[in-house]
Amino acid sequence: MEPSSPLKAMNVSNLEELSKALIECQQIISDLPKETSWLLSQNLHKYQDFWCYPNFLEGIILAQKYFIPQPTDIIICTLPKSGTTWLKALCFTIFRRSQHSGGSSINPLLTNMPHDIVPFIEFLYCKGRDSQNPLLSTHVPYASLPESIVKCSTCKIIYMCRDPKDVFVSLWHFNNKSLDTDVLSWEEAFDKFCTGLSAGGPFWDNILGYWKASLENPEKILFLKYEDLQNDTLFYVKRIAEFMGCPFSVEEERQGIVQNIVNFCSFESLSNLEVNKRNKVGNEIPFKVENNAFFRKGKIGD
C-alpha cells in the first residue's frame, strides 16, 4: 500500500504550515549546544539531554509537536546498532504472517529493506507512512518521545538494548565503512562514546529511561535484550507476538510458523537476500547507505 502524505502522517494542515514549522526547528537547532561527531563532516546537537544529528532532530521536534499515533501503533525503540534492523524484520513478519504464508502474497522484506518498511518517526514529515502498517521506530530516549505516544493508552512500545561494547564496535564500523565521510579514529570515538557523545546517547540514560518506564507500565512497554533474543529467538518471537496482540495459535505453532519466522528473519537469511546485498536505503533514511552495511556480523561479544 502506498504511504500516506507527510501532511497527513504529521497531522499538518498544509505545506505552508509544515515549511514554517521546519524553519522554527532549524532555529531551535542552531541555538543548541553542539560537538564534533564521529563523522567529521557533521556535528551532534544536544537536545533535551541527548545527542542527535540535525537531520534526525528536525523530525523529532516536529513529531513532538504534530504526531498523533494510531490507536494500534507499535513503536520499536532502540539505540543505533542495537539490533534495530532485525527487530523490525521480526515484528513486521509476525504482524503480517497471515498475508505472507502459504504463498498468498510475497513478503515485502524480499524486495525492501526493513528500514524502508518500518519508518522512523523522525522522517514521517518527509516520507509519510502506510496507515495499514502500525509499526514505527525511533532512536530517541523515552523522555523525548512525542507526548502523544506516551499518553496514548492503546499504542505500545518495544524497546531493545544491547551490550555497550558490541554497540560501540558495530557503530564504529558502520560509520567508518558505510558513510562517505571521514570519521574519528577508534580511540577518539571510544572516548566520545564513554562520555555519552554518540547518536541517541548517553548510552545508559537511553536504556534506563525505557527500563524504568517498562517497570511502571509493563502492559505498554516490552523491554528486550539483544542477547536474550539471540540465545532463545523462538521464545522471544512468541513473547513479542503476544505483546503485539497477535499471539500464535496452537495450530500455527504445530505448523512450524514460528520457526519459519525465526529462520526467515535470521541474520544469514536477511543478509543473503538480493535487496540487502547491493541496493541502497533510499525511501526512509535521508542519506544513501548500502543495505549490506546493516548486516555486518550480528554476533554477541564481537
Side-chain angles (χ1 to χ4, degrees):
M1 184 168 179
E2 291 298 319
S4 64
S5 71
L7 297 181
K8 185 175 181 181
M10 293 300 295
N11 197 34
V12 177
S13 59
N14 55 59
L15 284 173
E16 183 179 354
E17 182 181 358
L18 180 59
S19 298
K20 183 179 178 180
L22 276 170
I23 293 172
E24 292 174 353
C25 288
Q26 290 160 6
Q27 181 60 54
I28 291 170
I29 293 170
S30 69
D31 293 335
L32 293 173
K34 60 184 178 181
E35 293 283 349
T36 303
S37 74
W38 300 19
L39 311 175
L40 297 181
S41 62
Q42 295 190 47
N43 288 318
L44 281 168
H45 294 254
K46 193 173 188 180
Y47 175 72
Q48 297 181 343
D49 293 324
F50 76 97
W51 293 95
C52 190
Y53 289 108
N55 53 355
F56 280 78
L57 196 47
E58 281 184 352
I60 293 168
I61 296 171
L62 284 174
Q64 289 176 336
K65 184 174 182 179
Y66 292 107
F67 177 66
I68 304 297
Q70 298 175 166
T72 56
D73 276 350
I74 298 168
I75 318 298
I76 296 170
C77 305
T78 59
L79 278 167
K81 313 315 295 177
S82 297
T84 312
T85 308
W86 184 28
L87 186 57
K88 285 185 177 185
L90 283 171
C91 289
F92 179 76
T93 308
I94 290 167
F95 174 70
R96 295 283 287 267
R97 65 184 185 269
S98 63
Q99 298 178 40
H100 305 134
S101 61
S104 58
S105 65
I106 297 175
N107 191 325
L109 284 168
L110 293 171
T111 53
N112 294 273
M113 175 71 171
H115 295 301
D116 286 330
I117 292 176
V118 181
F120 284 98
I121 293 171
E122 289 89 321
F123 303 126
L124 291 182
Y125 77 96
C126 57
K127 302 296 182 182
R129 66 173 298 187
D130 178 355
S131 61
Q132 300 302 308
N133 179 8
L135 299 171
L136 297 168
S137 69
T138 187
H139 289 318
V140 306
Y142 181 77
S144 294
L145 286 175
E147 190 174 349
S148 58
I149 291 175
V150 176
K151 288 190 172 182
C152 178
S153 60
T154 55
C155 68
K156 297 182 178 182
I157 294 168
I158 300 176
Y159 182 82
M160 188 158 75
C161 66
R162 188 182 186 186
D163 185 293
K165 298 184 294 296
D166 287 338
V167 169
F168 168 74
V169 170
S170 182
L171 187 58
W172 189 84
H173 281 292
F174 179 82
N175 287 339
N176 191 52
K177 294 184 178 181
S178 65
L179 300 177
D180 188 20
T181 182
D182 292 329
V183 301
L184 289 180
S185 69
W186 177 277
E187 293 78 10
E188 292 172 309
F190 181 72
D191 287 341
K192 284 186 179 289
F193 186 78
C194 289
T195 59
L197 220 162
S198 60
F203 180 89
W204 293 112
D205 290 356
N206 192 292
I207 291 177
L208 286 171
Y210 284 97
W211 170 247
K212 291 175 181 177
S214 72
L215 295 179
E216 295 170 359
N217 198 348
E219 298 301 315
K220 184 179 178 70
I221 303 172
L222 176 63
F223 190 97
L224 300 172
K225 298 177 183 178
Y226 180 90
E227 294 74 19
D228 291 343
L229 187 59
Q230 278 271 25
N231 291 328
D232 196 351
T233 310
L234 194 72
F235 172 83
Y236 282 99
V237 164
K238 290 190 283 187
R239 178 72 185 91
I240 291 168
E242 181 181 358
F243 179 78
M244 290 172 64
C246 50
F248 293 98
S249 66
V250 173
E251 181 61 20
E252 284 180 313
E253 292 195 44
R254 188 190 67 78
Q255 293 175 357
I257 290 176
V258 186
Q259 188 62 56
N260 289 343
I261 290 174
V262 172
N263 294 343
F264 177 76
C265 295
S266 69
F267 178 87
E268 292 74 16
S269 173
L270 291 177
S271 62
N272 281 303
L273 293 175
E274 284 301 314
V275 66
N276 295 326
K277 285 183 178 181
R278 55 189 180 187
N279 289 10
K280 289 187 177 183
V281 173
N283 297 329
E284 173 52 30
I285 299 175
F287 46 83
K288 300 297 183 181
V289 179
E290 295 283 348
N291 286 355
N292 60 23
F294 293 92
F295 300 92
R296 194 176 71 88
K297 289 187 178 180
K299 292 183 177 180
I300 297 171
D302 183 35

